Structures are given as structure tokens and as C-alpha cells.
């Protein structure tokens, strides 16, 4: 085939593809639907069994008695209550204890289960110790040796086990972990407990360190997208609703690494008489909080 014929054939092919030879235009490309990130419902993971075996390891739920002091205002005397915790064993030997001393007047709940979140077939153990509106979680990899890869108590994060999210936001096959911070319950004298913001913290697996670390700045599009673009509470005459809405947006911006913008927003939006008190109290909580220290690389952050 000489060059002239080859060029003619190539031109015909191009015209056919473009639809020009048959008097039609090529069909417009259909926009690709953005698939939802893969998610694991943690409620499907936890078992009600008192023991769990995997790869030669046994995780057991054990019980002990502790002395519980009821709030002084209830005028209820101290009593002994039954609480639960978890122990990891191998060949009858205890290797690790999972107990963050979380309990209330009726005890607590300890649950665990198997999950696979690191992009391979190996399973990890997820453990939750919780009470109503409180709790913390651990994730432990067992192969080749037990290692805590997510440590809720270390970061002072977590609530009830069902509030823990397992989602692959960046579609790399390794799941992120989302848990709330409950430190701002300290503001319950300023609003009802249901109105207190619980900032969501996204933990991403750091391969080099072989553990999960806070990563809100990396996922700020998702976290800021969770804020309502038109939150009517920001113009509410109800001081409780206004306080709740402003603090939710403030804390979301702070934890994604945009602290200056966060406080600029607060100064514009929060017009209540206690604005200086609330600012002082929020900053006091933040400065003790290990996730905040890590994100802003402050002294004392936990690596």
C-alpha cells in the first residue's frame, strides 16, 4: 500500500469515527458517575460472643468489679459494679489487655470482631469498649505479630462502637477510620448534649509507621462538604442553636488545618455575650487535645 492510499484510508477512518460520512454527530460522552467510596458497616462486624479465635490467637471478654462513684447531685452512695474488657491471648498466654476504664452506673459494653481494612486478605481485630454517648476503639493486626494499628485511647477519640466509620475515601484499597471527639461535652452547661458538636476525625494508615494517624487536612473536601451550605441556625435567634452551629463549623475548619479562617469566622458569626468565654474554653480544650497537637505539629503531639 503506497503512502497516498494509506493516508486516504486513514482519513476515511477518522471521518467514520466522527460520524461525518453518515451525516451524524458522534454521541456526546456520558459523564461518568462518581462512585461512592467503599464502606464497611461496623455494626456488621461486632459479635456478641465472649470469645473470638483467629490465626492461633484468642480474644476474650472478661469481667471485673470496680467501685463506681455516682455524681454528687444524685446523692447515690458508691457501689461496686461489673465491667468488661478484652484480653488477647495465644497458647493460653495473655499478650495484651484492652481496657480504657470506660464505664458508668450500669457497667459498660465490650465488643469485638474481625475486619479486613489493609488491602489484603489478612484480617484485623477491632475492639470497642463503650457506654451511652462514650467509648473508644482499637484495631489490632495479628500477622506476623500483634500490633495495635489504631489506638483510640492514645488519641482521646471515639464514642460508641457504632459511631466508628470504615471508609475507603481515596480508593486506594486501604480503608480510612473515622471517629468523633467527645472532649467538647465539657460545654454541656452551654447547650444540650445533643447540640454539642462532635468533630469527626479521619485516620489514614501510614505505611511507614504501620499505624493510623489523623489526616483531616488530607480529606478536607469531604469534611467541609459535610457542612450544610445554608445552615439556618447561623442566623437563629435561639442562642443554643446559634452556639451549636457556629461551634460545629469552627471545629470542622480547625481540624482540617484552617485555624486562622476558623477563628475569623467565629469572630464574625458569634455575637453572643459569652463569645470571649467560649473562645477561651474551646482553645483550652484544643490545647490539651492530641489530635489538634498532631495536626498543627505542636509540642506534645503523639506520633
Amino acid at each position: 500500500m503506497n503512502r497516498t492510499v494509506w493516508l486516504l484510508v486513514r482519513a476515511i477512518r477518522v471521518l467514520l469515527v466522527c460520524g461525518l460520512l453518515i451525516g451524524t454527530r458522534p454521541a456526546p460522552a456520558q459523564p461518568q458517575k462518581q462512585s461512592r467510596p467503599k464502606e464497611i458497616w461496623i455494626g456488621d462486624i461486632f459479635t456478641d460472643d465472649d470469645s473470638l479465635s483467629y490465626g492461633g490467637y484468642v480474644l476474650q471478654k472478661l469481667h471485673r468489679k470496680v467501685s463506681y462513684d455516682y455524681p454528687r447531685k444524685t446523692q447515690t452512695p458508691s457501689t461496686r459494679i461489673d465491667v468488661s474488657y478484652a484480653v488477647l491471648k495465644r497458647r493460653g498466654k495473655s499478650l495484651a489487655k484492652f481496657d480504657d476504664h470506660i464505664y458508668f452506673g450500669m457497667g459498660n459494653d465490650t465488643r469485638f470482631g474481625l475486619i479486613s481494612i489493609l488491602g489484603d486478605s489478612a484480617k484485623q481485630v477491632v475492639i470497642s469498649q463503650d457506654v451511652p454517648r462514650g467509648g473508644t476503639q482499637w484495631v489490632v493486626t495479628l500477622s506476623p505479630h500483634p500490633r495495635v494499628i489504631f489506638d483510640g485511647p492514645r488519641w482521646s477519640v471515639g464514642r460508641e462502637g457504632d459511631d466508628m466509620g470504615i471508609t475507603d475515601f481515596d480508593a486506594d484499597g486501604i480503608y480510612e477510620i473515622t471517629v468523633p471527639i467527645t472532649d467538647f461535652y465539657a460545654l454541656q452547661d452551654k447547650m444540650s448534649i445533643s447540640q454539642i458538636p462532635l468533630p469527626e476525625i479521619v485516620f489514614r494508615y501510614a505505611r511507614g509507621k504501620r499505624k493510623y494517624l489523623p489526616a483531616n487536612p488530607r480529606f478536607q473536601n469531604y469534611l467541609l462538604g459535610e457542612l450544610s451550605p445554608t445552615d439556618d441556625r447561623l442566623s437563629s435567634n435561639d442562642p443554643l442553636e446559634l452556639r451549636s452551629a457556629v461551634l460545629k463549623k469552627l471545629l470542622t475548619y480547625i481540624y482540617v488545618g484552617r485555624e486562622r479562617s476558623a477563628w475569623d469566622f467565629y469572630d464574625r458569626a458569634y455575637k453572643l455575650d459569652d463569645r470571649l468565654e467560649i473562645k477561651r474554653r474551646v482553645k483550652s480544650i484544643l490545647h490539651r487535645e492530641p489530635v489538634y497537637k498532631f495536626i498543627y505539629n505542636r509540642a506534645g503531639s503523639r506520633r
Side-chain angles (χ1 to χ4, degrees):
M1 182 182 296
N2 62 37
R3 179 171 176 79
T4 302
V5 175
W6 180 83
L7 290 173
L8 179 61
V9 171
R10 188 171 182 270
I12 292 173
R13 286 176 177 170
V14 172
L15 291 173
L16 285 172
V17 170
C18 294
L20 297 178
L21 286 184
I22 56 175
T24 61
R25 293 182 178 179
Q30 295 297 320
Q32 292 184 347
K33 294 183 179 180
Q34 187 172 5
S35 59
R36 293 177 59 86
K38 292 182 179 179
E39 187 172 1
I40 298 174
W41 168 238
I42 197 68
D44 294 335
I45 301 301
F46 292 127
T47 176
D48 293 327
D49 296 338
D50 288 342
S51 66
L52 178 67
S53 300
Y54 178 74
Y57 294 91
V58 176
L59 191 64
Q60 286 186 314
K61 178 162 67 173
L62 301 179
H63 297 263
R64 62 189 176 93
K65 291 283 187 180
V66 299
S67 178
Y68 181 76
D69 296 324
Y70 289 89
R72 185 173 299 179
K73 63 182 179 180
T74 67
Q75 297 183 342
T76 303
S78 300
T79 186
R80 300 281 290 177
I81 61 172
D82 181 76
V83 298
S84 60
Y85 60 100
V87 172
L88 181 66
K89 297 182 177 181
R90 187 173 190 182
R91 298 172 183 170
K93 180 181 179 181
S94 294
L95 303 177
K97 178 180 178 181
F98 301 94
D99 184 5
D100 200 37
H101 309 288
I102 292 174
Y103 46 81
F104 75 129
M106 297 181 65
N108 65 0
D109 190 19
T110 299
R111 296 177 292 166
F112 37 68
L114 291 172
I115 195 170
S116 182
I117 59 176
L118 295 183
D120 53 28
S121 59
K123 292 185 179 295
Q124 296 79 44
V125 172
V126 57
I127 306 157
S128 179
Q129 184 183 54
D130 52 55
V131 296
R133 292 196 175 98
T136 195
Q137 291 75 41
W138 300 262
V139 178
V140 184
T141 183
L142 302 177
S143 178
H145 304 291
R147 179 181 177 86
V148 177
I149 58 174
F150 172 74
D151 192 341
R154 181 177 180 84
W155 294 101
S156 299
V157 296
R159 198 169 178 259
E160 296 169 74
D162 292 342
D163 293 319
M164 181 182 188
I166 308 290
T167 308
D168 184 6
F169 288 113
D170 51 12
D172 65 349
I174 299 178
Y175 287 81
E176 281 68 54
I177 294 173
T178 58
V179 285
I181 286 179
T182 61
D183 289 356
F184 298 94
Y185 278 156
L187 300 173
Q188 58 185 290
D189 60 313
K190 290 293 185 177
M191 65 197 95
S192 71
I193 198 167
S194 63
Q195 293 175 313
I196 295 175
L198 302 175
E200 184 178 15
I201 305 301
V202 180
F203 285 80
R204 185 173 186 268
Y205 187 68
R207 292 180 182 271
K209 295 184 179 292
R210 295 190 295 164
K211 59 184 176 182
Y212 277 86
L213 297 175
N216 279 38
R218 187 184 183 99
F219 297 98
Q220 62 177 285
N221 288 341
Y222 157 71
L223 292 163
L224 296 178
E226 292 291 287
L227 294 174
S228 173
T230 55
D231 192 338
D232 294 336
R233 297 181 305 161
L234 290 173
S235 56
S236 174
N237 292 323
D238 184 339
L240 299 182
E241 287 190 354
L242 175 63
R243 187 177 290 121
S244 176
V246 171
L247 290 180
K248 179 178 180 178
K249 190 167 183 177
L250 169 77
L251 294 172
T252 300
Y253 271 84
I254 285 175
Y255 282 106
V256 299
R258 298 170 64 174
E259 186 170 31
R260 180 174 296 180
S261 297
W263 287 115
D264 286 346
F265 158 75
Y266 177 88
D267 291 337
R268 293 193 310 270
Y270 198 94
K271 302 301 182 183
L272 301 177
D273 291 341
D274 62 352
R275 60 186 180 277
L276 295 180
E277 176 197 353
I278 294 297
K279 176 181 280 192
R280 175 184 57 78
R281 291 176 64 179
V282 168
K283 286 188 173 183
S284 177
I285 294 170
L286 289 170
H287 292 164
R288 299 191 304 267
E289 212 279 312
V291 171
Y292 172 84
K293 291 178 181 179
F294 179 85
I295 290 173
Y296 291 96
N297 198 24
R298 303 288 170 85
S301 63
R302 300 182 181 186
R303 301 288 178 132

